[in-house]
C-alpha cells in the first residue's frame, strides 16, 4: 500500500537537510515527481544541492531572504516565509507531486512567523493521502512530531567546524 | 582549505544511509568524483539510490550477499565483506575520487569480520588527505568515532513501521 509519509528531521546535528536530499536522490531514481521549497535560504545560495536539482530538472524554490538566526531583524524574513508557506500550500494541494520537501520550515514555526497549529490543521485537511512530505529544522514543535509518521533526531556527537575550526566543505556541507 | 572529512553516521534511527546519499547528491551538483561501496546488500537490491546512481553515471558497487543480521550463518557473508574492504582500499588509494561512501561498513566491523584497528590504521596511512570518506552503520566503534572528523547519531523518535505497521515505501525508504 502506498501511504504518503510525513517525515520530520530535527535535532542539533548535521544531516537534517542532508537526509531529505538523500530521499530526493532515491525518489529521482524511482521517477517520483518531487519539489523542494527551501525556507530561510535566499536565491543567491548556489548550493551543491541546488546545482544538482538544476542538472536533473528537479523543481526547487527558495522561500527565504538569506536570514540566519537573528529574530530581531526578522520582519521582512517573516513575510518571505509566509509567502513560502502560501506556495507550499499550492504545491501540496495541487496533487502534482509524489514528494515535497519543506526544508528548514521548522524555523518559521519556532520563530512564530507561522502558527504551528494552523499549519498542521491545514495539512490534515488538504495533504493528499499519498503525498510524501518532509519537514526539517531544529526543535520540531511537539504538535508537529505528533502529526508526523516518522521523526528522527540528528544528534551531534563530534563536529569538525567546532572541534578543528574547519570551514564548511563544498559538495559535502552545502 | 580543502580537507577530506571522515564522516560517520551512526545510531538506531533512519537517515544514516540517507544522509550519505544527500551528500552524494550535493557532490554530484558540484561535479565531484564519487563512488559508493554498499556492504551487506546484494546486487539484486535494485534500490532507488542504485537506480539514481545508474541514471547519473555514479560508480556503485555492491559488497554484500544480501546478508541481514544473522551472524550465525555469516561465514560467506564475512568473505564477501572482506572482498569489499579490499576493493575499498583500492578505490581509496587510487586518488581517483573526491568522495567515497562505505555504506553500512560498520556492520562488518561490529561482527568482527574486519578488525576495526586494522581498518583505521590502514586509513591513517593511506587515505588521501583531500578525499572525503563517509562510513555508516549502527553502533560505530569508539575507535572509529575518535578517528572521524564528524560523527552524527541518528536517533529514532517515532517510526511508522513499528508504530503503524506500515511497510517501507519505494523512493522514500529504499
Amino acid at each position: 500500500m502506498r501511504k504518503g509519509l510525513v517525515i520530520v528531521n530535527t535535532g542539533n546535528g548535521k544531516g537534517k537537510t542532508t537526509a531529505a536530499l538523500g530521499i530526493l536522490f532515491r525518489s529521482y531514481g524511482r521517477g517520483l515527481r518531487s519539489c523542494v521549497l527551501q525556507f530561510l535560504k535566499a536565491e543567491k545560495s548556489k548550493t551543491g544541492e541546488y546545482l544538482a536539482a538544476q542538472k536533473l530538472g528537479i523543481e526547487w524554490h527558495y522561500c527565504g531572504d538569506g536570514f540566519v538566526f537573528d529574530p530581531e531583524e526578522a520582519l521582512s524574513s517573516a513575510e518571505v516565509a509566509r509567502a513560502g508557506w502560501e506556495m507550499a500550500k499550492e504545491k501540496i494541494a495541487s496533487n502534482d507531486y509524489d514528494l515535497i520537501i519543506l526544508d528548514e520550515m521548522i524555523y518559521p514555526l519556532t520563530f512564530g512567523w507561522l502558527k504551528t497549529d494552523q499549519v498542521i490543521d491545514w495539512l490534515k485537511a488538504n495533504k493528499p493521502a499519498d503525498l510524501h512530505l518532509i519537514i526539517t529544522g531544529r526543535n520540531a514543535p511537539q504538535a508537529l512530531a505528533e502529526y508526523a509518521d516518522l521523526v528522527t533526531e540528528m544528534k551531534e556527537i563530534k563536529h569538525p567546524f567546532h572541534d578543528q575550526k574547519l570551514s564548511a566543505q563544498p559538495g559535502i556541507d552545502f
Side-chain angles (χ1 to χ4, degrees), chain A:
Chain A
M1 182 198 68
R2 164 82 177 270
K3 140 96 174 148
L5 297 175
V6 177
I7 297 173
V8 169
N9 294 344
T10 191
N12 71 343
K14 304 275 299 175
K16 297 183 288 293
T17 294
T18 315
L21 297 173
I23 293 181
L24 187 64
F25 186 79
R26 282 194 176 117
S27 73
Y28 173 78
R30 295 202 180 270
L32 302 189
R33 299 162 302 165
S34 304
C35 172
V36 178
L37 282 77
Q38 198 161 41
F39 288 76
L40 302 194
K41 285 206 178 80
E43 187 75 41
K44 63 187 179 214
S45 318
K46 291 277 184 286
T47 56
E49 51 266 43
Y50 174 79
L51 296 170
Q54 292 287 100
K55 282 190 194 179
L56 305 180
I58 296 172
E59 193 180 332
W60 191 285
H61 300 280
Y62 285 103
C63 304
D65 58 359
F67 171 81
V68 271
F69 309 111
D70 183 356
E72 298 302 317
E73 297 181 5
L75 274 181
S76 69
S77 303
E79 272 170 42
V80 174
R82 281 192 282 262
W85 171 237
E86 291 306 311
M87 184 193 282
K89 290 200 285 189
E90 256 177 55
K91 301 290 178 190
I92 290 166
S94 73
N95 232 332
D96 289 341
Y97 304 94
D98 302 298
L99 168 67
I100 293 179
I101 297 176
L102 304 178
D103 188 45
E104 301 188 342
M105 204 188 97
I106 289 173
Y107 298 102
L109 300 177
T110 55
F111 294 153
W113 298 344
L114 294 166
K115 302 265 183 233
T116 301
D117 290 349
Q118 286 175 13
V119 166
I120 293 172
D121 287 347
W122 187 91
L123 288 173
K124 283 181 179 166
N126 297 283
K127 190 188 84 65
D130 57 359
L131 171 68
H132 298 296
L133 189 67
I134 308 179
I135 304 177
T136 78
R138 289 183 182 217
N139 302 316
Q142 184 59 27
L144 183 65
E146 279 164 21
Y147 168 62
D149 298 297
L150 169 63
V151 181
T152 306
E153 180 190 348
M154 277 69 177
K155 199 172 157 189
E156 179 179 313
I157 305 292
K158 186 177 183 183
H159 197 306
F161 310 153
H162 308 157
D163 301 349
Q164 300 175 29
K165 310 260 181 291
L166 273 181
S167 54
Q169 303 290 312
I172 302 296
D173 294 301
F174 62 94

